[in-house]
Amino acid sequence: MTMQITPEILQKLQNIVGTTFVFTDDETRNQYGHDETEDYVFPPSVVVKPASAQEISEIIKVANEYKIPVVPIGGRTGLSGGALSIHQGIGLSTDRLNKIIEIDEKNLQVITEPAVITQVLQDTVLEKSLFYPVDPSSRGSCFIGGNVAENAGGARAVKYGVTKDYVLNLEVVLPTGEIIWTGANTLKNSTGYNLTQLMVGSEGTLGIITKIVLKLLPKNSHNVLMLVPFYKAEQACEAVSAIFRAGIVPSALEFMERDAIDWAIKFIEGVNVDIKPEIQAHLLIEVDGNYPEILMLEAEKIMTVVEGFQIDEILFADTEDQKNALWRMRRGVAEAVKSNSVYKEEDTVVPRYELPTLLKGIKEIGDKYGFKSVCYGHAGDGNLHVNIIKADMTDDNWKTEVPKGIREIFELTVALKGTLSGEHGIGYVQKNFMDIAFSTLQLQLMKNIKQVFDPNNILNPGKIFPDNI
Amino acid sequence: MTMQITPEILQKLQNIVGTTFVFTDDETRNQYGHDETEDYVFPPSVVVKPASAQEISEIIKVANEYKIPVVPIGGRTGLSGGALSIHQGIGLSTDRLNKIIEIDEKNLQVITEPAVITQVLQDTVLEKSLFYPVDPSSRGSCFIGGNVAENAGGARAVKYGVTKDYVLNLEVVLPTGEIIWTGANTLKNSTGYNLTQLMVGSEGTLGIITKIVLKLLPKNSHNVLMLVPFYKAEQACEAVSAIFRAGIVPSALEFMERDAIDWAIKFIEGVNVDIKPEIQAHLLIEVDGNYPEILMLEAEKIMTVVEGFQIDEILFADTEDQKNALWRMRRGVAEAVKSNSVYKEEDTVVPRYELPTLLKGIKEIGDKYGFKSVCYGHAGDGNLHVNIIKADMTDDNWKTEVPKGIREIFELTVALKGTLSGEHGIGYVQKNFMDIAFSTLQLQLMKNIKQVFDPNNILNPGKIFPDNI
């Protein structure tokens, strides 16, 4: 599959998108050869930047003619290597499909192209008092198209759901070049198989998303944000389930181990939180709604629940500035960890009550294989990001022992009725762990679906499926 | 595909489920040969009642060996004929898989078998202060498994979503006999293709559902219910969109044309609503939550919105009895219409702002082809049930003109960015309209997915796909 892009093929691509939008220089190829997954770089042979679904369709037809791999490339913020051109070929950047086509205030919907930055989308609809709640930590740079491809989650998923819960309809270019809509612009749909939901989270292997119809909500006017320090990390995890059982659905419920918060405070400017040395973990808890007096009632209920555990004084964010600072700290954890050491990030997810067991198990597995981990994430969803830190581990152990440990961590998540990835996807880096979550039969079913859409296996090959399937 | 069930096959089925659970008598075959779809009866050649996924797996293997159609049969409340044994064969009743396996209060989940009646499931989890919001009008008799197979909706979908939004994981017997789980018991999942969502709404054509893991919510303690009479039906439809644009998300927003409510009042005991002759339609509006004072505020906001239209006095349901009476009336509309005349029911759905245009169009199409329609449904979702009434129409016109009219109604819904079915499914009766919503390419993609799961096309053949695909 790593065939050369001949001058003939290059010419065809130039004819489709124009000479100025075909790039073969090293700088551009390297730029589009990585996302945020560890330190991987897999440059495509050529980067093309089409302007429309029609141009993408024509590119795909060329790719099928010559059997060249095509990798859709969005905001390059992915954490599982979905956008890496591991077999070279055509790196298809969606950069130029970057318009919000229509904000439909009458139906509370937005129709957008894929290369709109998620936060730009959120801010733009907010100007019309509308709310797109899905809020990945990378929202300042990730593309909404990538969010759909990976079924992105984020901090508000606990109350509002993940990307899949907002996608009503998609225009996609199929791996065979045809352009289709997957469904209808309706809130309900029982009309044939759900191609929309099949496309969401398929990581650019079943089609290239060119238009997205999203459901919006009326905006909420108020929220309350609090930071709760726990003396024991496992108790912080236990409190998560207890809050829900008290009948409260917070709009965010984030867990951060001590190291995560320490590193983030050092890394992010303008965050001043004074933490006692004995504190092992924090929960960042938000409730939102339109009635401040109700939010205070709910905050009090949450206080009553967490006071049943060993906690230090709760910090309430009194101003917008304080709220922003706390959120910047939480969102900055991943980058802070990255700046601190070589690392690997796993995106474990379990039913939320199993979080304390998962956390304890991860630490024991780390001890067994000699690695340290920093854990944080969307605890309200049972979604724990596990950052495995290289620090002063030898290169040998990093290469041989850590993968064994990761395998055991995933085996534990699956034993707890969880799975490998809550919101980052499988992509390139987790594909050889898929046998833990699925039998060969299940993987073969998925692979056969892939075959239905992509008979020549040209679209993002070598992702999701283990090498031996 | 209508091959005879030989004594040899019968013996094999008896060996699997036991002699007492294999039925070839006319009474049982007729009983399992219909659902609630018009007056169709298609009895299977034999009815079997397995007790477990394992037994279903063995039945499926026999069916593959002899290439016999298998139709999964649930509560037989379907409205698109999904459970009709149109090619005879084996009618596989799920009746005996009727246990709620576990209410997981720690994770707010329930694991259930498919033949639990939806209302029984709701009442049982409510005893633990948990809430399963999906609320089809047939909840007193439909099975939760059928809800999953059809992606059922109902009155609360407008705030809480439809069945697909609650299904976390499914155990299914594949059409090739293997038993798999489709996903994990987690709130988020970005691990491979979404087989769970592919199975939801696939109308018993991709697998037989044997276990369902559903997400639950903490229960709400209060609600306010009001009935708003409109002098003009189209204005009632316009008010629907206006309520959302005022920033309110009601927990139910139901539309009923005058005839629907009149017939329901006559049909249902204990409903006393006095309606002026000039009233053309009603909206039944509910808001729910935990704080009565907030609900009153929201009800007032809704009043302000609807008072912008020509309405008569709003009726507030003051007691539980009054609320129950109004809901009985709304839920009874379908049966009331059915008892009144031969009819056909369409399940149109559009973006909600398009409702007035849809309603107007339906009436014009009815005038053109000479039929009367009674419309009602889940207006908050843009989901309008269109009951086409035979009344004194000739049999000839009923057979020739009405299908033309239905085709035009569906063409209108699709032109309005809607689709054929919001919650009833396509099944048997709508399959030959599928070309309106999908191109041949799209249908062929779906058909190829079917082929991946069911290479011998034994599971519920002749459903969803048009005869010419």
Side-chain angles (χ1 to χ4, degrees), chain A residues 106-107 150 181 185 188 190-191 193 205 241 291 294 352-353 381 383 417 421-423 425 442 446, chain B residues 106-107 150 181 185 188 190-191 193 205 241 291 294 352-353 378 381 383 417 421-423 425 442 446:
Chain A
K106 303 189 301 291
N107 288 305
E150 301 298 320
W181 282 94
N185 296 5
K188 307 160 97 171
S190 291
T191 313
Y193 299 154
T205 65
S241 174
Y291 304 97
I294 298 301
R352 70 168 80 92
Y353 183 77
D381 309 312
N383 187 195
K417 309 266 185 214
S421 174
E423 57 180 20
Q442 290 164 307
M446 292 186 198
Chain B
K106 303 190 302 289
N107 288 307
E150 301 298 320
W181 282 93
N185 294 7
K188 306 161 97 171
S190 290
T191 312
Y193 300 154
T205 65
S241 174
Y291 304 98
I294 298 300
R352 68 169 82 90
Y353 183 76
H378 315 300
D381 309 313
N383 187 194
K417 310 266 185 217
S421 173
E423 57 179 20
Q442 290 164 307
M446 293 185 197

Side-chain angles (χ1 to χ4, degrees), chain B residues 132-146:
Chain B
Y132 178 68
V134 187
D135 203 33
S137 294
S138 58
R139 66 175 185 158
S141 51
C142 62
F143 288 177
I144 187 72

Side-chain angles (χ1 to χ4, degrees), chain B residues 1 85-86 205 224 327 346 356 365 395 397 408 440 461:
Chain B
M1 286 293 268
S85 295
I86 57 169
T205 65
V224 172
W327 276 117
E346 315 309 324
I365 293 166
D395 285 355
N397 281 349
E408 281 193 28
T440 305

Side-chain angles (χ1 to χ4, degrees), chain B residues 225-242:
Chain B
L225 185 65
M226 61 181 101
L227 186 70
V228 188
F230 285 79
Y231 285 96
K232 294 186 189 302
E234 278 175 53
Q235 285 197 358
C237 288
E238 284 169 34
V240 169
S241 174

Side-chain angles (χ1 to χ4, degrees), chain B residues 30-49:
Chain B
N30 282 324
Q31 190 188 344
Y32 287 85
H34 69 86
D35 54 15
E36 293 290 328
T37 310
E38 303 170 30
D39 50 2
Y40 289 108
V41 185
F42 287 97
S45 314
V46 55
V47 175
V48 292
K49 299 192 178 183

Side-chain angles (χ1 to χ4, degrees), chain B residues 30 153 162 208 213 249 267 277 364 436:
Chain B
N30 282 324
V162 294
I208 298 174
V213 182
V249 180
F267 187 77
E364 286 167 3
I436 300 168

